[in-house]
Tab-separated table of all heavy atoms in Angstrom:
chain	number	residue	atom	x	y	z
A	1179	ASN	N	197.429	95.711	65.086
A	1179	ASN	CA	197.976	96.136	66.385
A	1179	ASN	C	198.262	97.607	66.328
A	1179	ASN	O	199.119	98.072	65.732
A	1179	ASN	CB	199.394	95.383	66.675
A	1179	ASN	CG	199.853	95.732	68.030
A	1179	ASN	OD1	199.282	96.490	68.823
A	1179	ASN	ND2	201.051	95.191	68.306
A	1180	LEU	N	197.285	98.317	66.968
A	1180	LEU	CA	197.360	99.916	67.028
A	1180	LEU	C	197.764	100.393	68.337
A	1180	LEU	O	197.761	101.603	68.557
A	1180	LEU	CB	195.957	100.349	66.570
A	1180	LEU	CG	195.399	99.987	65.273
A	1180	LEU	CD1	193.977	100.453	65.145
A	1180	LEU	CD2	196.213	100.462	64.141
A	1181	GLN	N	198.244	99.528	69.244
A	1181	GLN	CA	198.499	99.899	70.600
A	1181	GLN	C	199.711	100.833	70.730
A	1181	GLN	O	199.839	101.442	71.782
A	1181	GLN	CB	198.665	98.647	71.500
A	1181	GLN	CG	197.423	97.838	71.592
A	1181	GLN	CD	197.513	96.664	72.522
A	1181	GLN	OE1	198.616	96.503	73.144
A	1181	GLN	NE2	196.580	95.770	72.581
A	1182	ASP	N	200.493	100.975	69.668
A	1182	ASP	CA	201.616	101.944	69.766
A	1182	ASP	C	201.256	103.321	69.157
A	1182	ASP	O	202.077	104.175	69.117
A	1182	ASP	CB	202.814	101.304	69.076
A	1182	ASP	CG	202.554	101.094	67.583
A	1182	ASP	OD1	201.354	101.112	67.095
A	1182	ASP	OD2	203.552	100.801	66.810
A	1183	GLN	N	199.941	103.460	68.649
A	1183	GLN	CA	199.669	104.677	68.132
A	1183	GLN	C	199.302	105.701	69.246
A	1183	GLN	O	198.561	105.334	70.201
A	1183	GLN	CB	198.418	104.554	67.177
A	1183	GLN	CG	198.617	103.606	66.080
A	1183	GLN	CD	199.694	104.141	65.191
A	1183	GLN	OE1	199.616	105.301	64.718
A	1183	GLN	NE2	200.679	103.310	64.740
A	1184	PRO	N	199.665	106.973	69.065
A	1184	PRO	CA	199.412	107.895	70.170
A	1184	PRO	C	197.922	108.224	70.444
A	1184	PRO	O	197.696	108.693	71.514
A	1184	PRO	CB	200.151	109.179	69.687
A	1184	PRO	CG	200.319	108.982	68.222
A	1184	PRO	CD	200.415	107.513	68.002
A	1185	TRP	N	197.059	108.102	69.499
A	1185	TRP	CA	195.638	108.417	69.645
A	1185	TRP	C	194.832	107.304	70.285
A	1185	TRP	O	193.684	107.485	70.631
A	1185	TRP	CB	195.094	108.777	68.253
A	1185	TRP	CG	195.332	107.825	67.198
A	1185	TRP	CD1	196.358	107.714	66.357
A	1185	TRP	CD2	194.512	106.658	66.943
A	1185	TRP	NE1	196.248	106.615	65.457
A	1185	TRP	CE2	195.121	105.881	65.881
A	1185	TRP	CE3	193.343	106.094	67.448
A	1185	TRP	CZ2	194.603	104.753	65.308
A	1185	TRP	CZ3	192.796	104.954	66.955
A	1185	TRP	CH2	193.411	104.271	65.900
A	1186	ILE	N	195.371	106.085	70.277
A	1186	ILE	CA	194.520	104.906	70.577
A	1186	ILE	C	194.003	104.931	72.017
A	1186	ILE	O	192.854	104.712	72.252
A	1186	ILE	CB	195.258	103.640	70.340
A	1186	ILE	CG1	194.304	102.393	70.357
A	1186	ILE	CG2	196.482	103.484	71.159
A	1186	ILE	CD1	193.379	102.348	69.247
A	1187	ILE	N	194.799	105.260	73.010
A	1187	ILE	CA	194.396	105.204	74.354
A	1187	ILE	C	193.376	106.280	74.653
A	1187	ILE	O	192.289	105.851	75.297
A	1187	ILE	CB	195.552	105.430	75.333
A	1187	ILE	CG1	196.555	104.147	75.259
A	1187	ILE	CG2	195.158	105.628	76.763
A	1187	ILE	CD1	197.832	104.242	76.164
A	1188	PRO	N	193.467	107.525	74.169
A	1188	PRO	CA	192.359	108.470	74.465
A	1188	PRO	C	191.046	107.969	73.753
A	1188	PRO	O	189.938	108.212	74.319
A	1188	PRO	CB	192.891	109.861	73.918
A	1188	PRO	CG	194.406	109.634	73.887
A	1188	PRO	CD	194.702	108.205	73.729
A	1189	VAL	N	191.129	107.503	72.569
A	1189	VAL	CA	189.977	107.047	71.945
A	1189	VAL	C	189.262	105.848	72.629
A	1189	VAL	O	188.068	105.911	72.810
A	1189	VAL	CB	190.354	106.641	70.396
A	1189	VAL	CG1	189.131	105.885	69.770
A	1189	VAL	CG2	190.647	107.907	69.590
A	1190	VAL	N	190.097	104.910	73.059
A	1190	VAL	CA	189.522	103.794	73.703
A	1190	VAL	C	188.873	104.120	74.997
A	1190	VAL	O	187.778	103.694	75.327
A	1190	VAL	CB	190.688	102.646	73.790
A	1190	VAL	CG1	190.088	101.563	74.762
A	1190	VAL	CG2	190.962	102.110	72.489
A	1191	TRP	N	189.606	104.893	75.807
A	1191	TRP	CA	189.054	105.229	77.134
A	1191	TRP	C	187.906	106.224	77.005
A	1191	TRP	O	186.916	106.115	77.805
A	1191	TRP	CB	190.195	105.860	77.989
A	1191	TRP	CG	190.855	104.768	78.673
A	1191	TRP	CD1	192.124	104.349	78.498
A	1191	TRP	CD2	190.373	103.912	79.752
A	1191	TRP	NE1	192.453	103.209	79.269
A	1191	TRP	CE2	191.417	103.008	80.109
A	1191	TRP	CE3	189.124	103.871	80.429
A	1191	TRP	CZ2	191.233	101.987	81.124
A	1191	TRP	CZ3	189.024	103.011	81.447
A	1191	TRP	CH2	189.998	102.093	81.763
A	1192	THR	N	187.923	107.059	76.098
A	1192	THR	CA	186.724	107.996	75.933
A	1192	THR	C	185.513	107.198	75.475
A	1192	THR	O	184.442	107.384	76.085
A	1192	THR	CB	186.981	109.107	74.887
A	1192	THR	OG1	188.040	109.926	75.349
A	1192	THR	CG2	185.851	110.027	74.763
A	1193	GLY	N	185.665	106.335	74.527
A	1193	GLY	CA	184.564	105.489	74.042
A	1193	GLY	C	184.106	104.519	75.100
A	1193	GLY	O	182.835	104.321	75.245
A	1194	THR	N	185.010	104.028	75.847
A	1194	THR	CA	184.618	103.077	76.950
A	1194	THR	C	183.883	103.801	78.021
A	1194	THR	O	182.799	103.243	78.608
A	1194	THR	CB	185.874	102.422	77.581
A	1194	THR	OG1	186.451	101.652	76.523
A	1194	THR	CG2	185.420	101.456	78.698
A	1195	ALA	N	184.321	104.990	78.471
A	1195	ALA	CA	183.654	105.783	79.464
A	1195	ALA	C	182.135	106.086	79.062
A	1195	ALA	O	181.267	106.029	79.846
A	1195	ALA	CB	184.389	107.131	79.762
A	1196	ILE	N	181.984	106.456	77.788
A	1196	ILE	CA	180.654	106.785	77.233
A	1196	ILE	C	179.826	105.554	77.199
A	1196	ILE	O	178.652	105.592	77.549
A	1196	ILE	CB	180.735	107.362	75.829
A	1196	ILE	CG1	181.458	108.756	75.866
A	1196	ILE	CG2	179.295	107.528	75.180
A	1196	ILE	CD1	181.806	109.326	74.404
A	1197	SER	N	180.456	104.400	76.931
A	1197	SER	CA	179.701	103.188	76.900
A	1197	SER	C	179.133	102.811	78.284
A	1197	SER	O	178.048	102.266	78.372
A	1197	SER	CB	180.585	101.948	76.426
A	1197	SER	OG	181.456	101.505	77.440
A	1198	PHE	N	179.804	103.229	79.403
A	1198	PHE	CA	179.334	102.916	80.718
A	1198	PHE	C	178.106	103.807	81.035
A	1198	PHE	O	177.266	103.449	81.824
A	1198	PHE	CB	180.422	103.152	81.761
A	1198	PHE	CG	181.260	101.964	81.981
A	1198	PHE	CD1	182.326	101.634	81.089
A	1198	PHE	CD2	181.029	101.075	83.005
A	1198	PHE	CE1	183.027	100.519	81.342
A	1198	PHE	CE2	181.785	99.934	83.212
A	1198	PHE	CZ	182.867	99.662	82.363
A	1199	LEU	N	178.026	104.954	80.392
A	1199	LEU	CA	176.864	105.839	80.604
A	1199	LEU	C	175.584	105.137	79.980
A	1199	LEU	O	174.435	105.398	80.494
A	1199	LEU	CB	177.037	107.187	79.943
A	1199	LEU	CG	178.229	108.048	80.488
A	1199	LEU	CD1	178.273	109.327	79.712
A	1199	LEU	CD2	177.980	108.353	81.992
A	1200	PHE	N	175.812	104.269	79.028
A	1200	PHE	CA	174.709	103.536	78.500
A	1200	PHE	C	174.493	102.148	79.168
A	1200	PHE	O	173.404	101.720	79.452
A	1200	PHE	CB	174.887	103.317	77.011
A	1200	PHE	CG	174.710	104.568	76.148
A	1200	PHE	CD1	175.723	105.364	75.830
A	1200	PHE	CD2	173.415	104.792	75.705
A	1200	PHE	CE1	175.532	106.466	75.090
A	1200	PHE	CE2	173.168	105.940	74.861
A	1200	PHE	CZ	174.233	106.766	74.636
A	1201	LEU	N	175.631	101.554	79.468
A	1201	LEU	CA	175.520	100.169	80.025
A	1201	LEU	C	174.919	100.247	81.541
A	1201	LEU	O	174.208	99.283	81.857
A	1201	LEU	CB	176.937	99.575	80.233
A	1201	LEU	CG	177.429	98.921	78.902
A	1201	LEU	CD1	178.987	98.610	79.087
A	1201	LEU	CD2	176.723	97.570	78.674
A	1202	TYR	N	175.179	101.220	82.242
A	1202	TYR	CA	174.638	101.347	83.648
A	1202	TYR	C	173.934	102.649	83.825
A	1202	TYR	O	174.344	103.481	84.694
A	1202	TYR	CB	175.863	101.181	84.632
A	1202	TYR	CG	176.547	99.882	84.423
A	1202	TYR	CD1	177.797	99.909	83.806
A	1202	TYR	CD2	175.995	98.692	84.838
A	1202	TYR	CE1	178.454	98.670	83.538
A	1202	TYR	CE2	176.675	97.435	84.626
A	1202	TYR	CZ	177.901	97.458	83.944
A	1202	TYR	OH	178.523	96.312	83.731
A	1203	PRO	N	172.866	102.819	83.167
A	1203	PRO	CA	172.098	104.090	83.267
A	1203	PRO	C	171.389	104.201	84.595
A	1203	PRO	O	171.085	103.127	85.247
A	1203	PRO	CB	171.072	103.904	82.130
A	1203	PRO	CG	170.837	102.467	81.967
A	1203	PRO	CD	172.167	101.911	82.269
A	1204	ALA	N	171.129	105.412	85.046
A	1204	ALA	CA	170.405	105.561	86.331
A	1204	ALA	C	168.897	105.386	86.131
A	1204	ALA	O	168.102	106.365	86.355
A	1204	ALA	CB	170.709	106.952	86.805
A	1205	THR	N	168.497	104.196	85.728
A	1205	THR	CA	167.095	103.988	85.523
A	1205	THR	C	166.577	102.749	86.234
A	1205	THR	O	165.620	102.117	85.863
A	1205	THR	CB	166.855	103.738	84.026
A	1205	THR	OG1	167.650	102.681	83.546
A	1205	THR	CG2	166.981	104.966	83.171
A	1206	TYR	N	167.338	102.366	87.393
A	1206	TYR	CA	166.889	101.262	88.171
A	1206	TYR	C	167.223	101.577	89.627
A	1206	TYR	O	168.079	102.412	89.901
A	1206	TYR	CB	167.478	99.925	87.767
A	1206	TYR	CG	169.006	100.062	87.583
A	1206	TYR	CD1	169.732	99.843	88.754
A	1206	TYR	CD2	169.651	100.095	86.380
A	1206	TYR	CE1	171.181	99.878	88.720
A	1206	TYR	CE2	170.971	100.140	86.349
A	1206	TYR	CZ	171.786	100.064	87.507
A	1206	TYR	OH	173.126	100.044	87.450
A	1207	ASN	N	166.573	100.906	90.461
A	1207	ASN	CA	166.789	101.064	91.947
A	1207	ASN	C	167.985	100.078	92.306
A	1207	ASN	O	167.659	98.889	92.302
A	1207	ASN	CB	165.584	100.813	92.734
A	1207	ASN	CG	165.729	101.236	94.195
A	1207	ASN	OD1	166.767	101.039	94.771
A	1207	ASN	ND2	164.722	101.748	94.712
A	1208	LEU	N	169.055	100.542	92.736
A	1208	LEU	CA	170.175	99.708	93.117
A	1208	LEU	C	169.858	98.687	94.167
A	1208	LEU	O	170.360	97.588	94.175
A	1208	LEU	CB	171.414	100.494	93.436
A	1208	LEU	CG	172.054	101.341	92.317
A	1208	LEU	CD1	173.177	102.177	92.876
A	1208	LEU	CD2	172.581	100.373	91.170
A	1209	LEU	N	168.980	99.083	95.050
A	1209	LEU	CA	168.664	98.102	96.193
A	1209	LEU	C	167.814	97.040	95.758
A	1209	LEU	O	167.675	96.049	96.506
A	1209	LEU	CB	168.005	98.983	97.285
A	1209	LEU	CG	168.766	100.032	98.051
A	1209	LEU	CD1	167.915	100.758	98.984
A	1209	LEU	CD2	170.041	99.425	98.601
A	1210	GLU	N	167.238	97.073	94.488
A	1210	GLU	CA	166.412	95.951	94.099
A	1210	GLU	C	167.324	94.782	93.554
A	1210	GLU	O	166.859	93.679	93.469
A	1210	GLU	CB	165.474	96.356	92.976
A	1210	GLU	CG	164.408	97.221	93.450
A	1210	GLU	CD	163.411	97.703	92.350
A	1210	GLU	OE1	163.492	97.011	91.239
A	1210	GLU	OE2	162.615	98.548	92.513
A	1211	ILE	N	168.565	95.110	93.129
A	1211	ILE	CA	169.454	94.074	92.669
A	1211	ILE	C	169.709	93.013	93.705
A	1211	ILE	O	169.555	91.758	93.406
A	1211	ILE	CB	170.803	94.649	92.218
A	1211	ILE	CG1	170.542	95.645	91.024
A	1211	ILE	CG2	171.734	93.651	91.739
A	1211	ILE	CD1	171.773	96.362	90.527
A	1212	PRO	N	170.030	93.293	94.957
A	1212	PRO	CA	170.224	92.278	96.009
A	1212	PRO	C	168.882	91.925	96.612
A	1212	PRO	O	168.856	91.253	97.696
A	1212	PRO	CB	171.167	92.840	96.906
A	1212	PRO	CG	170.921	94.256	96.852
A	1212	PRO	CD	170.571	94.567	95.499
A	1213	ALA	N	167.795	92.521	96.167
A	1213	ALA	CA	166.399	92.316	96.667
A	1213	ALA	C	166.211	92.880	98.080
A	1213	ALA	O	165.360	92.498	98.855
A	1213	ALA	CB	166.066	90.844	96.601
């Protein structure tokens, strides 16, 4: 349980934000998803 550590929130949110740059890259046409 590291949730009371002062560094944990910036680390988690920075890492999560970067993960979204990989999870949802701009390499597809959004209008193709609903066809």
Side-chain angles (χ1 to χ4, degrees):
N1179 185 2
L1180 302 174
Q1181 294 182 6
D1182 60 346
Q1183 298 298 310
W1185 53 267
I1186 190 68
I1187 291 180
V1189 166
V1190 170
W1191 272 108
T1192 299
T1194 300
I1196 294 172
S1197 78
F1198 274 82
L1199 297 177
F1200 285 92
L1201 278 167
Y1202 302 103
T1205 54
Y1206 54 79
N1207 191 324
L1208 292 176
L1209 293 180
E1210 290 183 12
I1211 296 176

